[in-house]
Amino acid sequence: MQPGSVYAIKEGKDKTEQHTLSVLVDNEPGVLARVIGLFSGRGYNIESLTVSETEHEKHRSRITVVTAGPPQVIEQIKAQLERMVPVHRVIDLTVTGKAIERELLLIKVRGAGDDRVEALRLADAFRARVIDATTESFVFELTGRTDKLDQFILLMQPIGLVEVSRTGVAAITRGPEAT
Amino acid sequence: MTRQMTGAEMVVQALIDQGVEHLFGYPGGSVLPIYDELFQQDKVQHILVRQEGGAGHSAEGYARSTGKVGVVLVTSGPGATNMVTPLADALMDSIPMVCITGQVATHLIGSDAFQEADTVGITRPCTKHNWLVKDVNDLARILHEAFYVARSGRPGPVVVDIPKDVQFATGTYQGPALVEHKTYRPRVEGDQAAILAAVEMIAKAKKPLFYTGGGVINSGPEASALLRELAHLTGFPVTSTLMGLGAFPATDKQWLGMLGMHGTYEANNAMHDCDVMINVGARFDDRITGRLDAFSPGSKKIHIDIDPSSINKNVRVDIGIVGDVAHVLKAMLAAWKSAGHKPDKAGLKSWWSEIDGWRARNSLGFRQNSETILPQYAIRTLYERTLGKDVYISTEVGQHQMWAAQYFGFDEPNRWMTSGGLGTMGYGLPAAIGAQAAHRDALCIDIAGDASILMNIQELSTAIQHELPVKVFILNNQYMGMVRQWQQLLHGNRLSHSYTDSLPDFVKLAEAYGAIGMRCEKASELEGAIDAMIAAPGPVLFDCRVANLANCFPMIPSGKAHNEMLLAADATDEVIANAIDAAGKALV
């Protein structure tokens, strides 16, 4: 299944799964390039990637990667991440099964008359906030699961969607324990 | 121990504190402060190569033949980029190496300065880890971490990139005892439950096989000793990858020879038919497995590897044991003894008689019956004439490499240096120089091809300067033999650019460098010529003219399974032309 091997068994037998991985790393220079390079170099998918330093005093960052592939490839991705020198831990939030995933969307919509009213009504239904307004435009802020954001963008398209910025998925497990 | 010193002083002090005795390198603008410090001390011996790639491969040969970390010092820009091939080579073959590169001054980084290259960016995918040191107070810690990372877990190459201003700056030096890595703690002890399960499985096996690899060598001499003990205790047959040769003695009656694409008939058939496969420090590489969906279909598989990502990567296994080979084998031996296991004698007897049937095919047989030297005969003769001597063998890449693996017997680990994973032509001569630097009185031979040797022939000059009496034994057939063999198999015998039209006169070439040149064209004269080569006091370039069109057999044609081998006796032109089908052609 490894794309690196020309002797690989043909793909397609195993179903593609989407997994959210939480990777705790030492925030040293180049660590993000290292992780991204692993994915591109070995032909793995990145659906979404979020990274920020989460423990400043220890210089630790949490990288949240949403990836997709057959189960064997997902296992490889985790093993490959785990053996990287600056990686503390890799947690497969899809396997632990109790994770909350959120994404932040900023979306600019332009329109007049009924379109403005409709945009506000939809924003209200989705619990999006207006964070910028002019007489002919709004910028909405919306957090939620990826599919909710996708749906909101879809609805804004006929109304006058101008542009979109989104953060990618951040995720954390439920309950009192650290992962 | 902490002291104030300059960055350049720290580099040399760190090398001394890490027990480094030899360093391979090439000076340039961005490493001059470090070279200035080297000049003022005599604890670390610097070996000046002729091209940075030569330094890298020398360090690999040094590391492989000693079990120590190989160390390289090169300048920024082209110095660093020339090191890319050895770094990639060392990563594939798990060779511990610390490469120190100079870098332009920190304020010039990103300005396209003279001899500037993004060294950490370029080497990131071909190192185990790398660092750009921006503060002299981090330098000592990073250097010690670099040695720790290079040699721990699955060994590999690392790069420490040091800007010139950091080499001049003064900071606090700390010794290795004070440095502990924050994150990297590879597991060496295997999981006890998995070990017990593996021993249970082994005890019930009727057709078992040890499939060993470079991990046994990397684990140290104790691992080889434990492997021998376990093999002798169980009576199981043993085969090995290219990288693992020498871990189990080639003269032992349980030895089946190398396996894989150019492995023996008995080793590959035993792999195909075994019921329990015990993979000790090998990684199910594609040159070993052949066609994956037909790979050893009936066996239960145990895999011991220090790298968790090797387990279940190419082949699903039944029991994976993450740990260092020596630690795991020790635990397995203890478990085997304490459970009072005895091997299944009756089962093993019939298994060995099956193996003897495959052995009877004599898949490495050849007939030397004219004055034209067969390459197989050349290697076998070289082996026989060097028996009992303190020998280290390196190779380049190609047919000669496979013949060396097939016909030269290795009884001890760390005696065999070859580029297995990356397949780097030009590896052998610098690797032999590295081995010779570590073992001054040993007989270090690079078994070469006429094409490969020209890729790093300049290193002969290094051997002369440093009085390293390496012997280069060239199997000269005037072709890139392995390329030609594949063209015969895959491309209708159209020999596109695989013939070398104007080879140098190797004897004169040797003499031009100040080495000894020899040539042998007759089988009857070969023994005497080899004896003369061995007896020669300095470096020798030995031009052994061999049968031009000999090919390397036995062979698993690509896209085929282990039990579909092509033997030399069956390899007519027609069979060769049709050996590989359309699907196999894409597999290289």
Side-chain angles (χ1 to χ4, degrees), chain B residues 372-588:
Chain B
T372 306
I373 302 169
L374 291 182
Q376 297 90 340
Y377 174 74
I379 301 290
R380 178 48 55 93
T381 307
L382 182 68
Y383 172 52
E384 286 166 0
R385 303 313 291 177
T386 56
L387 263 178
K389 294 191 158 53
D390 186 15
V391 186
Y392 292 84
I393 299 287
S394 69
T395 73
E396 312 286 337
V397 169
Q399 285 182 326
H400 68 274
Q401 178 190 28
M402 292 298 110
W403 283 317
Q406 291 170 332
Y407 295 96
F408 204 101
F410 295 92
D411 283 352
E412 295 300 330
N414 301 100
R415 297 291 173 149
W416 163 248
M417 288 139 284
T418 194
S419 170
L422 198 66
T424 309
M425 293 169 74
Y427 168 92
L429 174 54
I433 287 172
Q436 189 85 72
H439 311 276
R440 285 267 168 187
D441 300 325
L443 177 60
C444 296
I445 305 174
D446 169 30
I447 296 175
D450 51 272
S452 281
I453 190 60
L454 291 178
M455 284 212 179
N456 269 327
I457 187 68
Q458 78 284 350
E459 297 307 322
L460 199 52
S461 181
T462 306
I464 300 286
Q465 179 180 339
H466 295 278
E467 296 175 340
L468 300 167
V470 295
K471 317 297 180 203
V472 183
F473 189 75
I474 305 170
L475 295 185
N476 183 352
N477 63 1
Q478 299 186 61
Y479 280 98
M480 291 157 222
M482 195 58 98
V483 172
R484 186 204 59 216
Q485 182 167 343
W486 282 82
Q487 287 170 335
Q488 290 172 312
L489 282 161
L490 290 170
H491 296 286
N493 205 25
R494 289 180 296 281
L495 307 186
S496 182
H497 303 278
S498 54
Y499 179 70
T500 315
D501 213 334
S502 39
L503 281 172
D505 178 330
F506 285 111
V507 174
K508 284 188 185 161
L509 185 63
E511 287 163 359
Y513 275 108
I516 300 161
M518 293 183 183
R519 178 171 294 124
C520 184
E521 297 176 76
K522 290 185 180 158
S524 59
E525 295 169 0
L526 187 59
E527 286 191 1
I530 287 174
D531 290 348
M533 174 187 85
I534 295 167
V540 177
L541 215 50
F542 188 109
D543 184 10
C544 184
R545 294 295 180 91
V546 297
N548 276 9
L549 295 175
N551 275 340
C552 196
F553 292 106
M555 177 179 191
I556 305 175
S558 68
K560 295 282 166 69
H562 276 169
N563 58 350
E564 299 175 290
M565 289 200 84
L566 198 55
L567 299 186
D570 309 326
T572 61
D573 288 351
E574 195 190 350
V575 169
I576 287 177
N578 297 314
I580 300 181
D581 59 19
K585 281 187 185 179
L587 300 179
V588 182

Side-chain angles (χ1 to χ4, degrees), chain B residues 190-348:
Chain B
D191 176 64
Q192 192 57 27
I195 287 169
L196 290 176
V199 168
E200 286 299 316
M201 188 181 277
I202 291 169
K204 293 198 189 89
K206 298 197 182 321
K207 299 160 96 180
L209 180 64
F210 284 108
Y211 148 44
T212 66
V216 187
I217 313 277
N218 276 333
S219 178
E222 198 198 352
S224 294
L226 290 162
L227 171 69
R228 291 160 193 220
E229 190 185 344
L230 185 61
H232 290 147
L233 201 60
T234 55
F236 295 176
V238 183
T239 182
S240 165
T241 66
L242 183 72
M243 297 310 295
L245 296 178
F248 194 77
T251 46
D252 194 289
K253 61 184 191 331
Q254 284 168 244
W255 172 244
L256 302 189
M258 182 175 76
L259 81 160
M261 185 171 270
H262 292 290
T264 65
Y265 190 70
E266 52 271 33
N268 284 331
N269 275 287
M271 281 292 273
H272 190 268
D273 286 2
C274 66
D275 68 349
V276 173
M277 178 190 296
I278 309 132
N279 174 339
V280 189
R283 61 183 175 92
F284 293 110
D285 173 76
D286 57 55
R287 301 287 113 159
I288 294 303
T289 60
R291 209 174 118 184
L292 271 180
D293 57 1
F295 174 69
S296 193
S299 64
K300 295 268 185 202
K301 297 174 186 75
I302 297 164
H303 188 182
I304 304 166
D305 202 303
I306 199 156
D307 179 0
S309 77
S310 283
I311 290 168
N312 293 328
K313 181 168 72 175
N314 298 333
V315 170
R316 299 297 292 184
V317 296
D318 299 277
I319 300 175
I321 303 172
V322 177
D324 169 64
V325 166
H327 286 82
V328 174
L329 288 182
K330 199 171 201 171
M332 283 174 83
L333 270 164
W336 176 277
K337 287 172 186 165
S338 74
H341 284 307
K342 294 275 180 287
D344 178 348
K345 281 231 169 82
L348 275 178

